[in-house]
Amino acid sequence: MPNPQIAKTAKLIMLATTLSLSAFSLNAQAKLTSITTSDGTELVYSSVSDVTWTKDGNLLGTLFATKGFNNVVNAIIAASPTISNTPNFYSPTSNYFLKASDFSSNGQTTWFGAIAYINYLNKINYGGSNQWYLPSVANTSSGFNTRTNGKIKGDELAELYYIELRSTGYLNPSGYIQPDFGIVDRDNSFKNEQLDIYWSSTEYAPNPDGAWLFFNNFGRQFFNIKKLGFYAWAVTPGQVAAVPEPENVALLLAGLGLMAGVVRRKQKLVPQA
């Protein structure tokens, strides 16, 4: 017949395990959650937009610096030699043929190069995902403090700037200049983010020569021609699977160890039949 004391202790172990796992779960649901994948790739999950960003805000520039500019550009072009878009001055037939001149060694790229870079990340299954995309714009209005839509796809750059990082725009909603404008990463969630302009994947409908972009230095959403060079920051839907953070694993093991000690002590006190 099962000993009631041992049964009670087993329940305590289950409770400790649940609490430890809950602590891990709560940590994973923080607004910006750092992730390290099984291959060591560093990413950041945003619960506001429900997307995962590359931790490196200028990953393309880092790839150029570590793997060689020509090597990376050739690999990107091989993965995506043409970019389809709405017919425009730069690609009258809708197909743009990528060139090395679409890229700069500092990580800036034309809109066409930015799209091709995303395609390359998907081909190499970067961070274990093949669903990377360039942030898009759902609410196509120019200016500061533009509307965002939350977890529906689109507006990821504005949501990161204003909601996640709580950065200040150059102008407030009333049109007055604000101090301390520009992207601010108070918790150092990211690295290498640029106080500059980032492409979105969304074309500018009134004139497809251009596309929407976001100014990290001013908090402004605007548009410009696709052949100019700006930065590209990739996102993938949802939360990419992560290796558990060491402190969470330690918490779980400590809880289990504590309860195992309790079991051993209780067993010594149980009278032998």
Side-chain angles (χ1 to χ4, degrees), residues 42-259:
E42 293 184 303
L43 307 171
V44 178
Y45 173 68
S46 162
S47 62
V48 169
S49 302
D50 191 27
V51 296
T52 298
W53 298 80
T54 62
K55 186 178 184 71
D56 191 334
N58 184 19
L59 176 61
L60 181 57
T62 299
L63 291 174
F64 288 155
T66 57
K67 297 180 180 296
F69 177 80
N70 290 331
N71 292 334
V72 174
V73 167
N74 290 339
I76 291 174
I77 294 176
S80 190
T82 60
I83 300 299
S84 297
N85 64 140
T86 305
N88 58 78
F89 177 81
Y90 306 104
S91 50
T93 64
S94 79
N95 288 320
Y96 178 86
F97 293 88
L98 212 62
K99 313 173 191 62
S101 59
D102 283 301
F103 303 91
S104 298
S105 60
N106 65 355
Q108 290 183 324
T109 176
T110 65
W111 182 83
F112 305 102
I115 299 295
Y117 156 63
I118 298 299
N119 294 341
Y120 168 72
L121 292 183
N122 286 324
K123 181 176 181 180
I124 65 174
N125 204 42
Y126 184 79
S129 174
N130 61 2
Q131 299 182 63
W132 293 100
Y133 65 93
L134 200 62
S136 57
V137 176
N139 296 303
T140 52
S141 57
S142 60
F144 305 89
N145 304 285
T146 54
R147 291 181 298 111
T148 59
N149 62 49
K151 293 186 178 182
I152 300 172
K153 184 177 180 180
D155 303 324
E156 297 89 354
L157 285 165
E159 287 165 354
L160 178 66
Y161 184 98
Y162 283 108
I163 303 175
E164 292 281 27
L165 297 178
R166 307 181 306 281
S167 299
T168 302
Y170 178 66
L171 298 179
N172 66 18
S174 299
Y176 293 102
I177 297 175
Q178 302 185 109
D180 304 322
F181 57 87
I183 192 168
V184 177
D185 184 4
R186 296 173 180 83
D187 299 324
N188 296 315
S189 299
F190 298 98
K191 62 182 180 182
N192 212 20
E193 60 263 48
Q194 302 296 301
L195 195 66
D196 212 306
I197 305 171
Y198 280 86
W199 284 117
S200 84
S201 61
T202 306
E203 295 178 283
Y204 181 58
N207 183 356
D209 289 356
W212 287 95
L213 35 77
F214 192 85
F215 290 66
N216 266 356
N217 48 350
F218 291 110
R220 184 188 188 197
Q221 184 169 282
F222 204 61
F223 52 88
N224 217 321
I225 61 174
K226 296 174 179 176
K227 282 291 285 182
L228 293 179
F230 300 117
Y231 291 96
W233 203 343
V235 295
T236 189
Q239 185 169 3
V240 174
V243 175
E245 295 288 340
E247 60 266 27
N248 293 311
V249 176
L251 176 64
L252 175 59
L253 293 177
L256 293 177
L258 176 63
M259 295 313 300

Side-chain angles (χ1 to χ4, degrees), residues 5-41:
Q5 186 63 47
I6 293 178
K8 180 178 179 182
T9 304
K11 289 181 180 179
L12 289 174
I13 291 176
M14 293 178 64
L15 176 60
T17 303
T18 301
L19 290 173
S20 297
L21 291 174
S22 296
F24 173 74
S25 177
L26 288 171
N27 183 71
Q29 292 172 11
K31 279 193 173 182
L32 285 175
T33 305
S34 294
I35 294 171
T36 301
T37 64
S38 57
D39 63 0
T41 303

Side-chain angles (χ1 to χ4, degrees), residues 255-267:
L256 293 177
L258 176 63
M259 295 313 300
V262 172
V263 169
R264 286 193 295 269
R265 288 194 298 272
K266 292 295 184 183
Q267 286 176 331

